[in-house]
Amino acid sequence: MEHLTVDRKLFLLGLADFSGGQVLQGLPLFEVFLDLHFRTMAALVKNAITAARPSVERNLKIALHYARAELTPPKPSELGQVASGFNNVLTSFRTGRWKQLTVRDAWINVLVGIEVGCWFFVGECIGKRHIVGYYIPNEHH
């Protein structure tokens, strides 16, 4: 493989004439390399976005579907189902029916409980605007 000089590389890229190493458009060599670098990076980013777009659109469509179904608050007509769900949980604890849950159902219940707890603590952090402690003005440490 032949060692290419800067002038030869620029000529092959069409950025310089080979008659004396003069860079076309009168740009200094550093600016030509910088321009070439940014054009290359822009092309790479554009190709990455183009390649990822179908997958992102498909996943976003699925996420929005579940967000609409799961994150909407209950309607007034569904409040009766919420109350009966709480009553079912209390009844299963009183009667011992919870002992007959499958492992899958038990894990789902545990994960839902963890999720509710985590969202509670995230809401607390958002409400107090700090991860630890509350901001109390005029308190000296």
Side-chain angles (χ1 to χ4, degrees):
M1 183 158 94
E2 152 189 339
H3 177 69
L4 296 175
T5 63
V6 173
D7 292 334
R8 181 75 176 141
K9 288 179 185 176
L10 291 174
F11 175 74
L12 292 173
L13 293 171
L15 297 173
D17 63 7
F18 205 68
S19 61
Q22 295 288 327
V23 177
L24 292 180
Q25 303 156 350
L27 293 174
L29 190 58
F30 176 73
E31 288 185 19
V32 170
F33 279 133
L34 199 58
D35 182 56
L36 180 62
H37 175 72
F38 283 126
R39 286 184 192 188
T40 304
M41 289 304 295
L44 286 173
V45 169
K46 182 179 178 183
N47 289 341
I49 290 172
T50 302
R53 174 174 249 135
S55 176
V56 169
E57 286 177 351
R58 183 179 62 249
N59 290 338
L60 187 61
K61 185 177 178 181
I62 292 169
L64 288 175
H65 168 75
Y66 284 111
R68 282 189 204 107
E70 299 294 331
L71 297 177
T72 55
K75 299 175 186 154
S77 61
E78 298 172 338
L79 290 179
Q81 294 173 353
V82 172
S84 67
F86 282 126
N87 286 335
N88 288 342
V89 169
L90 292 175
T91 304
S92 71
F93 276 113
R94 275 189 241 135
T95 61
R97 194 174 68 209
W98 60 273
K99 297 177 188 174
Q100 296 160 356
L101 283 175
T102 63
V103 174
R104 181 180 186 277
D105 290 340
W107 267 113
I108 289 173
N109 291 342
V110 166
L111 292 175
V112 168
I114 290 171
E115 180 184 11
V116 169
C118 287
W119 279 116
F120 171 78
F121 288 118
V122 167
E124 279 283 308
C125 291
I126 291 170
K128 61 187 174 184
R129 296 185 181 164
H130 296 281
I131 293 177
V132 178
Y134 287 90
Y135 173 71
I136 301 173
N138 301 328
E139 180 181 322
H140 300 286
H141 296 285

